[in-house]
Amino acid sequence: MAGRGSEPTEEDGPLFREAYRQADAVDRAQTPGDRRKAMAGFAPRALVALAEGFLRDALKTGAVVFSVIVAVMAATSGDAVWAAAGIVSGVVGVGLVAVALIRHWSFGRQWAVIAVVIAVQAAYMILFWKTH
């Protein structure tokens, strides 16, 4: 996320950037009426951006936890093929989320990684449960 005194980045996403622009409009308002109008535009944008940020962070954590669960489940499955596939799936899932965070991937890429990791882990679990 944007630090103090810096502009928002691609990592922050369009919702945050729009709230940031609207906050600037609040700062530039000359009259109390203009300030009220700007605040009326800023408040909902800020709340939506905050909610999206919390959701994205929670799903990143969920994707990592889900990946670890799949790896542990696979390792204790007793089937070498399923164990290898699950461990690889779990490690790759954790790795992808870590790389997205460390390299500050863009908003869209972060959401794509979250969706792909959760979908792959869910598919692994469903297939495992259906066959065992």
Side-chain angles (χ1 to χ4, degrees):
M1 289 215 151
R4 180 174 278 208
S6 66
E7 295 292 318
T9 65
E10 284 298 310
E11 181 183 11
D12 297 318
L15 300 172
F16 182 84
R17 288 193 304 272
E18 182 58 33
Y20 185 89
R21 279 191 289 276
Q22 192 64 36
D24 192 42
V26 172
D27 292 342
R28 288 190 321 263
Q30 298 293 322
T31 66
D34 289 342
R35 185 170 296 276
R36 278 191 297 277
K37 278 185 193 176
M39 279 302 291
F42 169 70
R45 286 177 176 88
L47 289 173
V48 168
L50 183 65
E52 184 278 328
F54 278 125
L55 178 62
R56 187 167 21 132
D57 287 346
L59 287 176
K60 284 178 201 172
T61 302
V64 168
V65 169
F66 203 15
S67 295
V68 170
I69 289 169
V70 164
V72 169
M73 183 181 81
T76 60
S77 70
D79 185 340
V81 174
W82 280 98
I87 291 170
V88 167
S89 175
V91 170
V92 169
V94 170
L96 277 172
V97 174
V99 167
L101 290 172
I102 292 167
R103 302 214 50 198
H104 302 284
W105 283 3
S106 71
F107 173 83
R109 285 186 179 179
Q110 287 181 31
W111 274 108
V113 164
I114 291 166
V116 167
V117 167
I118 289 174
V120 168
Q121 305 309 0
Y124 175 88
M125 282 187 144
I126 291 167
L127 287 171
F128 181 80
W129 286 332
K130 293 279 185 183
T131 60
H132 284 81

